[in-house]
Amino acid sequence: MTPIRRHVPILIIGSGVAGCTAALTLADAGCDVLLLNAGDTLTDGNSELAQGGIIYRAAPPPDQPDRPDYDARALEKDILVAGHNHNYRKAVRWLCRQGPLCVDETLIKRAGVEFDRNPDGTFNLTREGGHSAPRILHRADYSGRAIMEGLTAQVLAHPRIACLHRRAAIDLLTSHHHARNSQYRYEVDNRCLGAYVLNEESGEPETILADWTVLATGGVGQVFLHSTNAPGCVGAGVSMAFRAGVDLANLEFMQFHPTALYEERSNRRPLITEAMRGEGARLLDGKGRAFMLRHDKRGDLAPRDVVAHAMMEEMLHSGAPCLFLDVSGVKQDLPTRFPTVFEQCREAGLDIRNEPIPVVPAAHYFCGGVLTDTRGRTSLRGLYAIGECACTGLHGANRLASTSLLEALVWGVSCGKDLARRALGKTLPAGLAAAIPDWRHEGDERRDDPALVAQDWANIRNTMWNYVGISRTEARLRRAFEDMRDLVRHIHDFYKRTRISRRLVDLFHGSQTAYVITQAAMRNPVSIGCHQRVD
């Protein structure tokens, strides 16, 4: 089969809120974009699963009605407190000041997203843990789905955006690592030139050369045993950036959501939105007693890292496999306000109007990733990173609730505007493009046996959950490092001998991502935020 090779002006890998927003911003500016996603549709990632909502702006107090910047300052303080002041303040200010405008212009006006409103027509703002005021826009409890429906409709209708589905990125192409002409490897500046991508339909890798590349590949939650993440969130962007020598940051900060539905179904646990606690739900132990005030004066509205650690202490002390969320304090009609949670629980045999929800913490959001500035630029020329795979410094050591969708939106817009200014009229030199070879199969053995791959995944997920999970010690991290080092070597050899497949690509990305997270956790002896050292 003749290898497929194409050259595009701008390649965006990932189709969540960040990827779609960047694509729309670029296309509206007159740029042609190729948007790739690994699933069957544009909505197969984490963005679709977001329940709580997206930060907008709180109403100013009655004594300061003419202060449009009032909530920007209050939100900045909330983000810094939740992030344990480990945040990059420039990124925090950027989000707080750009956020409402991006919501207005991109989501409400451009994408036509309809958020819930009060009878008087004003937005129905809710509050979540760590927030000092109600400032979160939502659409019932399926806000991510509503946002993605609006964005993807615009993306699919835009003549300057081409979408390719079932394309799993294998590796970033760079001048230092892939150019056959040695002259390009002598140049001091390495440059991203696109990516090798697996076409799942044909089973063959494709070479996609790009003048500019944007990583928007999402999170890493699937490297842990219990996760709220979509199946494809294995850290592909982090893994590829690491191999390309791109700067990474804050990899030890994996946020665990306190309330995921406890049931034996799969390693992806349905999320129980934090907005339920914002509207009156309480966490209870196995004897029906509230316990959060024993751990933090903010009680059930403490930031996520505090709540998750408190829950783990309670479960370890009692030996209970889960705790419970009592939603009887929620004043609104549960099937109307929280239809997603209500239906998920109903499918699990629970009627949350009459009984509490069994919950456990689960890996939820990655606060680290590919280091970027406020425009999404990385340390590698020609490469941007946005969304959960990027580390903007916004979250610091722990993410404030409902900042993720806003970060994806704001950095998607910022990246699109910056790249539109740089991209027009600039293309890869013909000689450099020609120096990049097509993918060559190193192994012909068809050995991606599902049983072998499943066992490797079980080893990765159990190691990360038990040793690099909510509570960490030097002994646990060293054991994880040794185990992951040996496993990565084994998988690398397996990868080279075996013909490429989607199962193998995901396994390779997941193992490398788990390894670099473990290394980062070992290097940081300070207990802070999501990185909880108990030794």
Side-chain angles (χ1 to χ4, degrees):
M1 179 180 291
T2 303
I4 293 179
R5 184 183 182 92
R6 67 184 86 206
H7 183 179
V8 299
I10 300 170
L11 171 66
I12 299 178
I13 305 172
S15 62
V17 168
C20 285
T21 300
L24 272 179
T25 305
L26 282 159
D28 286 347
C31 300
D32 291 321
V33 177
L34 177 60
L35 181 63
L36 302 185
N37 77 295
D40 294 317
T41 69
L42 297 178
T43 57
D44 284 346
N46 275 346
S47 293
E48 172 85 358
L49 302 176
Q51 293 180 3
I54 186 168
I55 292 172
Y56 188 48
R57 61 166 73 90
D63 60 338
Q64 302 180 56
D66 299 322
R67 285 281 306 280
D69 66 335
Y70 162 76
D71 194 48
R73 298 188 181 198
L75 174 59
E76 182 178 334
K77 181 180 178 181
D78 289 348
I79 292 173
L80 292 173
V81 169
H84 297 264
N85 283 292
H86 195 68
N87 320 65
Y88 182 35
R89 290 176 180 268
K90 184 176 180 180
V92 175
R93 294 190 189 103
W94 183 252
L95 176 112
C96 294
R97 284 153 179 74
Q98 297 296 318
L101 178 63
C102 290
V103 171
D104 283 333
E105 296 296 325
T106 303
L107 295 187
I108 296 174
K109 295 179 182 178
R110 182 71 174 84
V113 180
E114 295 184 0
F115 295 103
D116 287 355
R117 294 179 181 266
N118 297 313
D120 63 0
T122 59
F123 285 119
N124 180 258
L125 301 174
T126 191
R127 180 184 176 191
E128 294 187 356
H131 287 270
S132 57
R135 59 166 67 97
I136 299 166
L137 288 176
H138 61 90
R139 180 67 181 270
D141 67 346
Y142 53 89
S143 305
R145 188 168 84 231
I147 290 170
M148 284 301 296
E149 286 174 354
L151 287 174
T152 54
Q154 298 302 313
V155 165
L156 293 171
H158 207 297
R160 288 192 173 274
I161 302 175
C163 299
L164 291 178
H165 305 295
R166 302 193 69 192
R167 298 303 200 280
I170 303 169
D171 228 350
L172 292 175
L173 296 169
T174 67
S175 53
H176 282 183
H177 293 95
H178 296 97
R180 287 177 295 192
N181 187 333
S182 63
Q183 297 305 303
Y184 295 110
R185 295 197 295 272
Y186 284 114
E187 294 182 357
V188 174
D189 287 337
N190 193 15
R191 179 172 180 173
C192 184
L193 310 170
Y196 287 129
V197 175
L198 178 66
N199 181 339
E200 278 198 78
E201 294 176 353
S202 67
E204 292 295 324
E206 300 174 352
T207 304
I208 301 182
L209 297 164
D211 303 332
W212 304 90
T213 304
V214 180
L215 285 177
T217 53
V220 307
Q222 285 293 338
V223 305
F224 291 87
L225 183 62
H226 304 299
S227 172
T228 63
N229 284 193
C233 293
V234 297
V238 172
S239 171
M240 292 188 293
F242 170 72
R243 291 196 298 278
V246 185
D247 289 346
L248 308 175
N250 287 359
L251 302 183
E252 66 268 41
F253 297 121
M254 180 73 209
Q255 185 181 72
F256 293 83
H257 197 289
T259 52
L261 180 62
Y262 178 72
E263 61 168 338
E264 296 299 329
R265 188 168 65 177
S266 70
N267 75 296
R268 193 190 87 75
R269 296 191 176 278
L271 177 69
I272 305 299
T273 176
E274 192 166 16
M276 298 193 91
R277 283 182 284 128
E279 298 195 14
R282 296 186 309 158
L283 286 163
L284 307 176
D285 63 18
K287 296 182 179 180
R289 300 172 300 191
F291 59 85
M292 274 307 303
L293 282 173
R294 294 203 305 269
H295 298 271
D296 192 279
K297 64 181 181 181
R298 292 163 290 187
D300 291 281
L301 291 178
R304 288 176 177 176
D305 60 327
V306 175
V307 179
H309 297 153
M311 291 177 67
M312 285 302 295
E313 284 188 26
E314 292 288 331
M315 288 190 289
L316 288 171
H317 179 73
S318 66
C322 68
L323 296 167
F324 296 91
L325 186 68
D326 173 21
V327 299
S328 62
V330 177
K331 304 304 180 186
Q332 300 191 50
D333 180 63
L334 291 169
T336 302
R337 174 63 180 90
F338 299 106
T340 304
V341 172
F342 186 84
E343 182 60 23
Q344 287 173 338
C345 291
R346 189 193 65 78
E347 291 176 357
L350 297 168
D351 184 349
I352 63 175
R353 294 170 296 190
N354 302 315
E355 56 188 318
I357 306 171
V359 291
V360 291
H364 182 59
Y365 189 88
F366 192 43
C367 299
V370 183
L371 183 63
T372 72
D373 63 12
T374 54
R375 298 163 294 185
R377 296 187 187 187
T378 73
S379 63
L380 178 61
R381 183 183 172 196
L383 179 69
Y384 286 71
I386 52 177
E388 193 173 347
C389 72
C391 178
T392 65
L394 170 70
H395 307 299
N398 174 60
R399 179 177 73 92
L400 179 67
S402 287
T403 49
S404 55
L405 290 179
L406 187 61
E407 181 191 33
L409 177 69
V410 170
W411 264 260
V413 171
S414 300
C415 166
K417 290 181 175 179
D418 185 66
L419 188 45
R421 288 192 295 266
R422 303 175 74 193
L424 293 177
K426 294 183 180 180
T427 62
L428 292 180
L432 179 55
I436 303 302
D438 292 323
W439 175 272
R440 181 173 62 87
H441 289 286
E442 292 190 3
D444 288 325
E445 300 180 27
R446 296 189 178 275
R447 297 178 48 175
D448 63 334
D449 184 333
L452 297 177
V453 173
Q455 181 59 43
D456 284 337
W457 268 121
N459 289 339
I460 293 169
R461 288 167 173 154
N462 279 284
T463 297
M464 294 299 289
W465 183 258
N466 292 326
Y467 303 149
V468 199
I470 295 174
S471 300
R472 301 165 177 175
T473 67
E474 182 180 358
R476 292 175 191 173
L477 292 172
R478 183 155 296 282
R479 173 69 67 85
F481 170 75
E482 293 169 353
D483 290 352
M484 288 306 307
R485 179 186 58 196
D486 293 341
L487 186 58
V488 166
R489 288 175 180 169
H490 156 72
I491 291 174
H492 186 268
D493 291 341
F494 181 57
Y495 183 84
K496 293 188 71 172
R497 294 195 308 267
T498 308
R499 190 172 180 84
I500 198 79
S501 69
R502 174 64 188 277
R503 276 196 296 263
L504 198 55
V505 170
D506 283 354
L507 178 62
F508 191 64
H509 288 329
S511 65
Q512 287 215 318
T513 298
Y515 190 39
V516 296
I517 290 173
T518 301
Q519 289 177 303
M522 282 186 65
R523 286 193 295 265
N524 187 357
V526 179
S527 182
I528 180 173
C530 300
H531 178 57
Q532 183 76 2
R533 296 288 296 257
V534 295
D535 49 1

